[in-house]
Amino acid sequence: MDRPASGSNFIRQIVEADLASGRHKRIVTRFPPEPNGYLHFGHAKSICLNFGLAGQHGGVCHLRFDDTNPVKEEQEYVDAIKDAAKWLGFEWGEHEYYASDYFDRLYQFAEALIKRGHAYVDSQSADEIRATRGTLVSHGILSPYRSRSAEENLELFRKMKSAAFPDGAHVLRAKIDMASPNINLRDPVMYRIRHAHHHRTGDKWCIYPTYDWAHGLSDCIEGVTHSLCTLEFEDHRPLYDWFNERVAEAGFFTPPLPQQIEFARLNLTYVLLSKRKLIELVEQGHVAGWDDPRMPTLAGARRRGYTPEGFGLFVERIGVAKADSWIELGVLEDCMREHLNDVAPRRMAVLDPVKLVIENYPLGTEELVEVPNHPQKPDWGKRRVPFSRELWIERDDYQEKPEKGYFRLFPGNDVRLRYGYVITCKRFDGSANTLYATYYPDSRSGTPGADKYKVKGNIHWVSAAHAFAAEVRLYDRLFRRPQPEGSADLNPASKKIVTAQLEPALREAKPEERFQFERHGYFVADRIDSRPGAPRFNRAVTLRDSFSK
Ligand code: ATP
Ligand code: MG
């Protein structure tokens, strides 16, 4: 999909300088999800940034599954991640990679580092290693195994690989500096023994590389030029460079090596952006699944009726910064409104129906009124909506005793039925749950002289004989606290299901078709639960930001 080039930012400036100086002829970025959950709104920022940057500078962006952890990863997640990235509008062609495809090469690099005295097999337990790593104010303690010879290390490492040891018996560590002020450089672990089945490599391996060891070298293998990641990896950058440089020195790569650049992660108010915490919501049954329309996942957003273009607008609007901050959820919702306003045809839907009878309208009569499909887009044409003596209107368009400033229906007041007639409200019959009115036959919208009726209220309606009932889900924010921590902060009113009365044209709505329900907001026909002739709708956003006011 073509995206307008977004404004400048510090990453773009680095990329452009590298192209101008000839350091790189073509830029290569990557989006490296760990397949241990569904993608969330934060990932959308990273995807748009990585694919956007490459696309706008004639480069490529790789999709790389960072599947180094054998137990947490599943094919379901791989598929969901690809679906979500495609839905956002990006393509990677043949550039779909898996860190697990590099296990052989990573192993080969590790042997090279051992031979060059840069790595050793440590036989301390995980607890001992943790306890001797030191703190921010104290040095680490050298492992008693740190001075093993290269030959001994190589032999032990090969045995680790060939399943001679149980889990935890040994690890391979980089030999860097136990006194470094940067704890990441205190002989970090490169390999662990883990007798676990891997979703792609099966039982071939019983040693698995750590993130730090695998990530930078995967970038090198793929010829990534700019490796963008979130700020928490800033302290890992010296290690990223150290690993890549040592392996390059051993003759496997030639500079320029990839450059890691950190940017601020997305934090969004009223939203949780952590796969670990989102998994909890799914597993504990607080939501209906990863694609529950309230979930901040891209699968959820899609069902909710959010649009890829809305995410594109959002990512451009929030920009790329080097310092963490919180973005108001209203900013994302505004971007969705902006795009939906442009693409969603208008329809009439009564969400909380009450019957209105027009007593002086002839029995057994109906007529068709012309209704524009989009007020700002005359070329979208008009449709004909049936009108008759009995209508459904919104319950809150009537007040027995009107509050100050209320201009809609109350006994004795005139209002216009949108695109139709002006009516006078007569009375409400509580036992019949019905409102009675009369109409002015010469007041029909669009007919000569109809505008002599000056009314302040203008309400929507559907003809009772022609409308159909459908389930509509009204979603609100999933959390009630602006900086939620977990399930204790859930908003108990995040989902409300109503049986609405909809104008006949909506009956044929296709899954994922989006509409503005006049006066209510933007809605989508649910892509899973809709049936031909029986759509179910989800509210994506209200017309205005009602929450912050
Ligand atoms: P989580 O903390 O939700 O588990 P993660 O960083 O572990 O996220 P990965 O699958 O490892 O998830 O992330 C893939 C890419 O998406 C990484 O480059 C990561 O930096 C980026 N990313 C993850 N969360 C955000 C966020 N909130 N804002 C921007 N980028 C993000
Ligand atoms: Mg992660």
Side-chain angles (χ1 to χ4, degrees):
M1 167 193 322
D2 277 348
R3 287 272 163 73
S6 52
S8 192
N9 63 55
F10 74 100
I11 299 179
R12 174 182 291 268
Q13 285 165 12
I14 293 171
V15 164
E16 286 171 359
D18 286 346
L19 287 169
S21 72
R23 178 180 162 90
H24 297 296
K25 298 237 166 347
R26 184 169 90 137
I27 74 153
V28 181
T29 58
R30 87 288 171 265
F31 173 65
E34 195 182 331
N36 62 349
Y38 281 51
L39 296 183
H40 55 57
F41 298 174
H43 296 117
K45 175 177 179 178
S46 179
I47 293 177
C48 291
L49 189 62
N50 279 293
F51 279 91
L53 208 59
Q56 291 152 13
H57 292 89
V60 292
C61 180
H62 299 177
L63 174 65
R64 181 198 316 144
F65 290 98
D66 220 322
D67 58 350
T68 50
N69 185 344
V71 279
K72 279 195 290 181
E73 288 145 9
E74 288 175 30
Q75 189 62 34
E76 177 198 349
Y77 297 137
V78 169
D79 296 339
I81 289 168
K82 293 204 291 192
D83 277 353
K86 276 187 204 147
W87 178 72
L88 276 183
F90 297 106
E91 280 164 35
W92 47 92
E94 76 265 33
H95 299 292
E96 178 176 322
Y97 303 113
Y98 294 80
S100 57
D101 287 344
Y102 308 143
F103 282 172
D104 283 305
R105 297 200 66 193
L106 293 169
Y107 177 82
Q108 190 190 6
F109 301 155
E111 283 207 351
L113 257 57
I114 292 172
K115 289 178 194 155
R116 296 168 74 89
H118 293 312
Y120 63 98
V121 172
D122 194 348
S123 309
Q124 297 184 101
S125 69
D127 285 342
E128 285 167 329
I129 290 174
R130 201 173 308 116
T132 53
R133 199 187 289 138
T135 65
L136 286 175
V137 291
S138 65
H139 291 172
I141 297 166
L142 299 192
S143 164
Y145 304 99
R146 199 177 196 262
S147 50
R148 276 176 169 152
S149 68
E151 291 70 35
E152 190 185 353
N153 283 320
L154 207 52
E155 193 189 322
L156 281 169
F157 188 50
R158 287 177 178 163
K159 280 191 174 166
M160 280 168 65
K161 180 188 180 228
S162 57
F165 305 116
D167 286 8
H170 308 278
V171 294
L172 184 72
R173 293 179 78 175
K175 197 182 217 175
I176 309 182
D177 179 5
M178 289 303 287
S180 172
N182 183 338
I183 293 181
N184 294 301
L185 295 179
R186 294 185 189 168
D187 292 8
V189 173
M190 297 163 63
Y191 276 93
R192 290 191 185 87
I193 301 174
R194 210 153 184 191
H195 292 268
H197 188 83
H198 186 279
H199 78 125
R200 298 190 91 233
T201 58
D203 295 316
K204 176 175 176 192
W205 295 89
C206 65
I207 56 172
Y208 288 95
T210 55
Y211 172 88
D212 282 317
W213 171 243
H215 195 86
L217 288 160
S218 301
D219 286 345
C220 288
I221 290 170
E222 293 176 18
V224 166
T225 56
H226 300 84
S227 180
L228 314 183
C229 61
T230 41
L231 282 176
E232 64 269 26
F233 291 101
E234 194 168 10
D235 291 344
H236 294 240
R237 187 178 352 117
L239 179 58
Y240 178 95
D241 290 336
W242 191 92
F243 279 142
N244 291 354
E245 284 161 12
R246 297 296 82 73
V247 175
E249 277 167 13
F252 292 100
F253 302 110
T254 47
L257 298 175
Q259 179 185 1
Q260 174 178 310
I261 306 169
E262 306 85 21
F263 65 94
R265 62 183 286 112
L266 172 67
N267 297 306
L268 201 57
T269 58
Y270 299 98
V271 171
L272 259 187
L273 296 179
S274 146
K275 273 184 285 186
R276 188 173 53 78
K277 291 180 180 172
L278 295 178
I279 286 174
E280 268 171 36
L281 296 180
V282 174
E283 286 180 349
Q284 295 172 5
H286 296 293
V287 292
W290 284 101
D291 68 347
D292 186 303
R294 294 166 296 176
M295 284 284 274
T297 53
L298 295 177
R302 181 172 179 181
R303 277 189 80 180
R304 174 81 175 253
Y306 284 11
T307 65
E309 293 86 348
F311 278 106
L313 268 178
F314 175 67
V315 169
E316 247 174 76
R317 201 158 290 172
I318 61 177
V320 186
K322 252 192 242 198
D324 274 323
S325 67
W326 283 80
I327 305 290
E328 295 290 332
L329 177 56
V331 177
L332 176 66
E333 291 179 338
D334 270 343
C335 292
M336 295 303 161
R337 272 183 204 107
E338 203 170 310
H339 181 245
L340 287 165
N341 176 44
D342 202 39
V343 299
R346 276 43 175 173
R347 295 288 183 264
M348 290 199 282
V350 177
L351 302 186
D352 184 12
V354 65
K355 189 70 76 63
L356 172 83
V357 176
I358 304 171
E359 291 173 298
N360 61 337
Y361 191 87
L363 273 167
T365 303
E366 61 180 67
E367 53 192 306
L368 293 167
V369 301
E370 299 234 303
V371 179
N373 287 319
H374 195 298
Q376 287 96 42
K377 295 180 194 276
D379 54 312
W380 285 22
K382 294 186 172 182
R383 66 190 185 285
R384 305 176 113 193
V385 178
F387 181 90
S388 65
R389 189 171 190 266
E390 296 197 4
L391 308 174
W392 294 111
I393 63 161
E394 296 293 345
R395 191 171 300 274
D396 74 356
D397 280 338
Y398 173 77
Q399 287 188 357
E400 185 84 37
K401 297 196 174 63
E403 62 196 21
K404 195 168 171 287
Y406 188 83
F407 299 121
R408 289 167 279 159
L409 296 166
F410 52 87
N413 195 37
D414 286 356
V415 304
R416 180 172 292 283
L417 297 170
R418 287 192 167 189
Y419 321 111
Y421 295 96
V422 174
I423 57 171
T424 306
C425 177
K426 294 296 183 188
R427 65 185 192 284
F428 181 69
D429 178 346
S431 61
N433 202 14
T434 299
L435 194 60
Y436 294 90
T438 55
Y439 84 124
Y440 300 98
D442 60 347
S443 66
R444 185 172 149 175
S445 280
T447 55
D451 47 8
K452 73 173 181 249
Y453 292 92
K454 302 287 179 218
V455 294
K456 285 191 173 161
N458 193 326
I459 66 172
H460 69 280
W461 49 272
V462 293
S463 165
H466 304 88
F468 70 105
E471 180 176 303
V472 175
R473 296 84 168 254
L474 305 175
Y475 295 111
D476 202 338
R477 36 204 70 181
L478 184 54
F479 293 98
R480 57 197 159 83
R481 285 199 19 213
Q483 300 191 1
E485 303 271 334
S487 53
D489 302 323
L490 283 165
N491 170 12
S494 61
K495 177 182 184 179
K496 188 178 159 196
I497 300 180
V498 298
T499 302
Q501 292 289 341
L502 309 181
E503 70 163 84
L506 283 168
R507 203 190 282 273
E508 300 315 317
K510 306 270 179 306
E512 294 210 80
E513 225 180 323
R514 304 176 180 103
F515 301 94
Q516 184 197 93
F517 289 177
E518 292 198 20
R519 300 174 67 213
H520 285 303
Y522 296 96
F523 292 73
V524 67
D526 190 285
R527 61 189 288 249
I528 309 286
D529 300 333
S530 294
R531 297 287 168 270
R536 293 179 182 192
F537 289 92
N538 301 329
R539 183 171 69 197
V541 273
T542 52
L543 285 180
R544 275 165 294 279
D545 184 356
S546 51
F547 200 82
S548 65
K549 287 175 193 122

